[in-house]
Amino acid sequence: MTTDCKEQMGGLDAVKPIRVGIDIGSTAAKAAVFEGDKLAFTTAIPTGYNSADAAARLAEELRLQGYDVEDPRASTVATGYGRISVPFADKAVTEITCHGRGAAFLFGDDVTVVDVGGQDTKAIRLAKGKVAKFVMNDKCSAGTGKFLEIMANRLGVSMPELSVLAREGEPTPISSMCTVFAESEVISLIGRGIPREDIACGVIDSVVAKVVPLVSQVGGDSYVLTGGLCDEAYVVQRLAGALGAPVRTTPEARFAGAIGAALSAS
């Protein structure tokens, strides 16, 4: 997905310098560009098998949009699990710092950030725009976007279709805590003739059930969702119900890490 907000300002020649954030995640690689204090451009591509290749493809995409990361007027910060594979970055900054800073830019300084990534889930409490406390589940893919992707594939649907199905069903409990065993459980439920709608609802509730304890560890009462699931309204709805409070999000929230990285550039 590409969002060009430059409004024909002429790229590098319009506002100097530009700040570029590169977030190399396990599933998607994102970039965000600031012209002055304005978020001017965002883009995302599949990471693929090689982080360095994803970084090169992002650099080419930025160049085509008029943003040359090799230009001395550009300051670039990398983050994400593949941040060390971005040769054109001036420095690398941790995911927690960048996701927190990006969320503060999008939602305000005092929020609890829930970031459901491809391979990990993070809960970050911000106080006055700074990370006050965080916890991360990076030991198991259960409760992550990868879990949902695997289950959607098993049900023969896309991620958006999984949410549509789930809206029409009643949750069938998915008791397994491990993705591998949960997939076997889903196969068994399919074999027993349980409606796909009910399984889909159960799958999403399973992710929500793993996210909520992380959030409870960091505290807070104003919640925002970042990451690839920010476009899934039904996930947001179920998460809000489990937390007992509204959960805010926006399509730009999937770029929170890249936005925070760009804001960390000098």
Side-chain angles (χ1 to χ4, degrees), residues 56-94:
R57 286 184 284 122
L58 275 179
E60 177 62 14
E61 172 69 15
L62 290 170
R63 187 189 66 78
L64 291 173
Q65 298 296 327
Y67 300 113
D68 183 359
V69 294
E70 302 291 350
D71 192 289
R73 294 169 292 182
S75 178
T76 303
V77 170
T79 192
Y81 95 106
R83 60 186 177 272
I84 62 172
S85 301
V86 185
F88 53 84
D90 298 300
K91 63 179 179 179
V93 178
T94 66

Side-chain angles (χ1 to χ4, degrees), residues 145 147-149 152 157-164 204 228-229 232 235:
F147 177 88
L148 288 176
E149 179 184 329
V157 297
S158 65
M159 269 300 303
E161 290 169 337
L162 184 73
S163 294
V164 171
I204 288 177
L229 296 183
E232 303 296 336
V235 175

